[in-house]
Amino acid sequence: MKQLIEFIPLILFFVVYKLFGTQEAAIVLVVATLVQLVVLKKLYRKIEKMQLFIAGFVVVFGGLTAYFNNDEFLKWKVTLINALFALALLFSQFVLKNPLIKHILGKEIRLPDAVWAKLNLGWAGFFILCMLLNLYVSYYLSSDAWYTFKVFGLTGLSLVATLVTGIFIYPYLKEQEKS
């Protein structure tokens, strides 16, 4: 249910873009994101820091997109968020010596430190890939292609990355279950 609620602003954004255009889509994205936060707070009594972080970016960059009727701001939002996620993961691993992914998922699952490190690097690489793909699509393809890539391409890539993560950690979870 929570994941469905998280996708509603994105779907509304895409539909409104196709029907009306960039400015209207950006306004709907900002409003839907704010409504989403209210709904999540009401249903789950808590809004995660990551959701607030992303919502802040949506409001700022979506607001700029709507005000200037220029989708470059939204294109940069995607690039910056992916870059910041990658930097946070890499910083946590190489500077703090404590993989961020372990901090995020370690409450639910136990994995060896070497596996956490690989997982952390894998997700950092994933965010770098998304950042680079977003830059390529936004600069070398049409805006229409970018909107489709943003909604379906990046969402699909995220799903694949999540599935690969599950496959990667499955043997360790199975081993943990035995013990």
Side-chain angles (χ1 to χ4, degrees), residues 49-100:
K49 290 176 188 173
M50 191 66 66
Q51 290 167 320
L52 282 174
F53 174 76
I54 292 171
F57 266 76
V58 168
V59 169
V60 170
F61 287 88
L64 290 168
T65 296
Y67 184 79
F68 291 107
N69 195 20
N70 184 341
D71 60 11
E72 291 297 315
F73 295 104
L74 284 177
K75 291 174 181 178
W76 274 101
K77 175 198 78 85
V78 175
T79 301
L80 288 173
I81 284 179
N82 282 299
L84 289 172
F85 285 168
L87 284 173
L89 290 164
L90 293 171
F91 182 82
S92 73
Q93 183 145 344
F94 295 115
V95 176
L96 301 177
K97 307 291 185 201
N98 186 14
L100 181 59

Side-chain angles (χ1 to χ4, degrees), residues 39-47:
V39 169
L40 288 171
K41 177 73 172 170
K42 195 162 186 99
L43 290 176
Y44 299 100
R45 303 197 189 281
K46 180 182 173 186
I47 300 172

Side-chain angles (χ1 to χ4, degrees), residues 143-168:
S143 284
D144 198 49
W146 178 80
Y147 280 94
T148 303
F149 169 76
K150 163 65 179 117
V151 174
F152 299 106
L154 288 177
T155 301
L157 285 172
S158 297
L159 179 61
V160 169
T162 302
L163 289 172
V164 168
T165 297
I167 292 167
F168 177 71

